Amino acid sequence: PPIGVLRVTTVKAEGIKSGDWHLFPSQAVDDNYIKFAMGNQEWKAPTARMNETNYFFVHDSLQRLSIDVYDEDKWTADDYLGKVGDWTAEQAQGHSDKLLHLHDPDDPQGDAGHLQFTVEYLKTLPRELPSETDMCLIVLHFKEVFLPSSEITGKIALTCKIGETEKKTPAAKPLGGAMRKSTESILKDVKERLEKEDIEASVIDRVTKLEGLQIEKGLMKAAINCHQEYLVSFATMRATDKLSMELTLVEEHINKQKEKVDTPLGGVMFELQDLINAPAEEFQRDIEIPTKDANKAYTVQVSAQICALQIGTPPTATQVDSIRDDSGNHIGTDEASKDNEGNSSMRIAGRWNKKKKAKAEAEKKNMTGS
């Protein structure tokens, strides 16, 4: 599971210009937004609406939360208005509730506006669920999907919904694609030979059918192998509610417009109440998803873990970003990001250029002296 969760709430946005020209500035619509990004997690928060909250899963102390501001454009690429910071979880919490300066890329010394956020760190407690816990984290691991037949040749994916959050796993093709082609080619040759022997057509179809052959078993599973995280608030659950997930198996196709289209194959509602009743116990299940044929079902291998969330202090990064010269000498750290400007990369690059230039001048002087 993640080592923690960052809870970010927007508080204030002031003095930020619009990237759009308007004949009557007073009538211009504020379509700026703040882009928060951590790894592959992204959140766009409009500057016109504050007090919005988002959660970011922290898997490593070195993960960074980058904060940039854009002006949204409908017909062209969004205009970049500036950067607020690029921090580890520890540094981000250190900037919580401070009025932060927005850096204009076209005018580094200018005043491009100010932003303020509240940043809280929630530490995960794996397989614990104290009675006072009001929010928990569910971590799911989808392993393999076993198919009732080898007829499905498209990519297979799962959509999972817990509460109001729905996520989709990456799609995976059934295993044994090369084996399938070889087997179908052999069966085609056998069919042609039997037809030349004037064997009855019904017999030929029965003999050359892939379904039922021993080799088919290797074609009847798809490896999903995907982890997903879900936040669950007990405060919003009614006393009669039970924790459950809605699973839907889909087959992914590419249509003529080259768009991905999902065809539902089946779905099921599965209770996760055992995670709450016995959080410390192993949770591994083979979940059956019924098909149109009552005698067949898809089987999904799932393991799950529940974690309590506790307000705490982010771990100190075990290593800081740095730049070293050709000799391995340390010439910069991201210590500059400890101020509210988050402009460390620019400063480090400047130091690196000065160091490189000084080294080149020294070498030139030595060559001239010799």
Side-chain angles (χ1 to χ4, degrees):
I3 60 173
V5 177
L6 270 187
R7 178 162 57 196
V8 181
T9 302
T10 56
V11 176
K12 183 184 293 185
E14 61 182 24
I16 302 174
K17 67 179 182 180
S18 172
D20 301 326
W21 180 87
H22 199 282
L23 181 60
F24 302 103
S26 61
Q27 298 179 15
V29 177
D30 182 2
D31 55 3
N32 296 338
Y33 64 87
I34 311 161
K35 179 182 174 182
F36 298 84
M38 175 174 269
N40 61 357
Q41 306 167 81
E42 187 177 293
W43 177 42
K44 294 181 179 180
T47 58
R49 192 168 62 249
M50 292 288 102
N51 296 318
E52 300 212 340
T53 300
N54 193 66
Y55 296 83
F56 295 90
F57 301 113
V58 182
H59 294 270
D60 189 280
S61 62
L62 292 174
Q63 266 188 292
R64 307 186 76 84
L65 177 70
S66 63
I67 308 171
D68 301 89
V69 178
Y70 291 82
D71 173 72
E72 186 176 45
D73 287 330
K74 188 174 182 179
W75 307 111
T76 59
D78 294 350
D79 298 318
Y80 182 63
L81 300 182
K83 174 174 282 294
V84 179
D86 182 29
W87 307 310
T88 63
E90 182 184 32
Q91 293 166 341
Q93 190 182 53
H95 292 95
S96 180
D97 292 319
K98 294 181 180 179
L99 199 60
L100 307 175
H101 181 61
L102 176 64
H103 293 272
D104 186 338
D106 298 325
D107 183 12
Q109 304 304 320
D111 184 3
H114 298 87
L115 295 163
Q116 186 176 334
F117 323 104
T118 296
V119 181
E120 299 170 283
Y121 182 78
L122 307 175
K123 180 183 177 181
T124 55
L125 304 176
R127 295 181 179 173
E128 292 186 30
L129 203 61
S131 57
E132 68 274 11
T133 300
D134 61 357
M135 180 176 283
C136 72
L137 175 68
I138 305 293
V139 182
L140 300 176
H141 180 200
F142 296 106
K143 302 175 184 178
E144 291 184 326
V145 177
F146 293 89
L147 312 174
S149 74
S150 63
E151 296 175 356
I152 295 175
T153 57
K155 289 186 175 182
I156 298 297
L158 285 161
T159 61
C160 177
K161 185 176 181 180
I162 298 179
E164 298 300 317
T165 304
E166 183 175 87
K167 298 182 180 182
K168 181 183 174 183
T169 69
K173 291 203 72 171
L175 301 176
M179 187 189 301
R180 171 186 289 278
K181 289 182 180 180
S182 299
T183 304
E184 289 177 343
S185 178
I186 293 171
L187 292 176
K188 183 179 179 182
D189 289 342
V190 171
K191 182 176 182 178
E192 290 175 354
R193 291 188 181 188
L194 293 175
E195 287 173 345
K196 290 179 181 179
E197 297 294 329
D198 292 328
I199 304 297
E200 187 177 337
S202 60
V203 175
I204 293 175
D205 290 341
R206 190 166 61 251
V207 171
T208 58
K209 192 175 182 180
L210 180 61
E211 187 175 355
L213 295 179
Q214 186 68 25
I215 198 172
E216 185 197 21
K217 294 182 179 180
L219 310 175
M220 293 168 58
K221 62 181 179 180
I224 300 296
N225 194 26
C226 171
H227 287 85
Q228 291 183 344
E229 295 100 5
Y230 294 83
L231 289 169
V232 175
S233 173
F234 294 123
T236 59
M237 291 177 64
R238 295 171 298 183
T240 55
D241 287 347
K242 289 189 176 182
L243 183 63
S244 61
M245 64 177 173
E246 183 180 349
L247 278 182
T248 304
L249 188 68
V250 297
E251 185 175 9
E252 193 176 273
H253 298 279
I254 305 296
N255 62 16
K256 293 181 180 179
Q257 289 75 37
K258 296 185 178 180
E259 299 170 328
K260 289 183 181 179
V261 179
D262 291 340
T263 301
L265 299 174
V268 68
M269 186 69 76
F270 189 83
E271 283 193 7
L272 297 172
Q273 197 64 26
D274 287 347
L275 284 172
I276 295 178
N277 298 336
E281 293 184 9
E282 289 281 343
F283 183 98
Q284 296 193 30
R285 301 288 189 274
D286 289 340
I287 301 176
E288 290 194 350
I289 297 179
T291 68
K292 295 178 181 179
D293 186 339
N295 298 317
K296 295 181 179 181
Y298 303 97
T299 303
V300 182
Q301 288 183 334
V302 182
S303 64
Q305 188 177 124
I306 193 168
C307 305
L309 295 176
Q310 184 181 81
I311 292 179
T313 303
T316 299
T318 55
Q319 173 187 344
V320 294
D321 294 341
S322 63
I323 298 176
R324 297 178 183 271
D325 61 20
D326 296 337
S327 301
N329 297 317
H330 176 74
I331 58 174
T333 70
D334 71 345
E335 62 185 6
S337 66
K338 291 180 182 177
D339 61 27
N340 70 11
E341 297 174 359
N343 211 17
S344 59
S345 59
M346 187 185 302
R347 296 183 180 185
I348 292 171
R351 295 177 193 172
W352 183 81
N353 287 331
K354 289 180 181 178
K355 190 82 174 180
K356 189 174 181 181
K357 184 177 179 181
K359 182 180 178 182
E361 289 176 352
E363 290 176 351
K364 183 178 180 180
K365 186 176 181 181
N366 290 335
M367 289 178 64
T368 304
S370 61

